[in-house]
Amino acid sequence: MDVRWEEAGWERLTGRTGRRRLPVWDCTVGLVVGDESVLLIDPGSCVREGAQLRAEAERLTGRRVTHIAFTHGHFDHVLGVAAFAGTEVYGAVGLDAELSTGREELRAGAVAQGLAEAEAAEAVDLLVVPRHSVSGEWTLELGGVQALLANVGPGHTPYDLAVFVPGERETVFCGDLVEESGEPQAGSDAVPAQWPAAIDRLLSLGGDDALYVPGHGAVVSADFVREQRDTLARRFGVSAP
């Protein structure tokens, strides 16, 4: 246990990685700390929350966040990005266009899920879409550690991105392809027929001994991820490969 991180509301996963479970929607934010650069995974649900995360990350790491990865485009995972001026933003290929053209749907969806109208309008108006589109894999050199961004979708959405971090214990940030605190949510933009295969790609990234960080809920094992994959395959009537 890293007391300093715990006192700030963060969970230290490895020497290079950590995460925070945000209130209200229990969305997970990931952090990968390099000697030169810092990657934040999913910047929260609004500008106010993003500003809080930025301040906490800077306090814990001693440097500013330089890179942001969106695991997908749902409001609770992207709308805090405007608080991180000057960062390089990454997403699965196609997400930039989706966010650019779907701002009104994003705002309405956020309000429907309980975000205050004023905060939703501000965040959508200031939304920064990914400048860097990941079509396969993209390795970020952060100084002393690499982070592999992998386009593993579609599944939960058409634009699912995972982040793999090697180290003394491999860590996989799964986004909402995996959820622990409840049943995985399949909205109108889900691609159910391909979701189990996307989870197989997560498992191939991390292997049996990795830490798997869901988009919502506690950190889980490969066995949990496999069980959820099988549950989703049965739920959607997808045959095993």
Side-chain angles (χ1 to χ4, degrees), residues 192-209:
Q194 298 187 53
W195 197 332
I199 293 181
D200 284 337
R201 287 188 280 275
L202 290 177
L203 289 164
S204 70
L205 281 174
D208 285 344
D209 298 324

Side-chain angles (χ1 to χ4, degrees), residues 53-86:
L53 291 168
R54 183 195 64 210
E56 291 173 355
E58 289 176 353
R59 196 158 54 243
L60 292 173
T61 67
R63 57 185 69 89
R64 75 177 187 89
V65 173
T66 54
H67 302 72
I68 286 178
F70 291 155
T71 61
H72 60 292
H74 289 166
F75 84 95
D76 49 333
H77 296 261
V78 303
L79 286 185
V81 69
F84 295 85

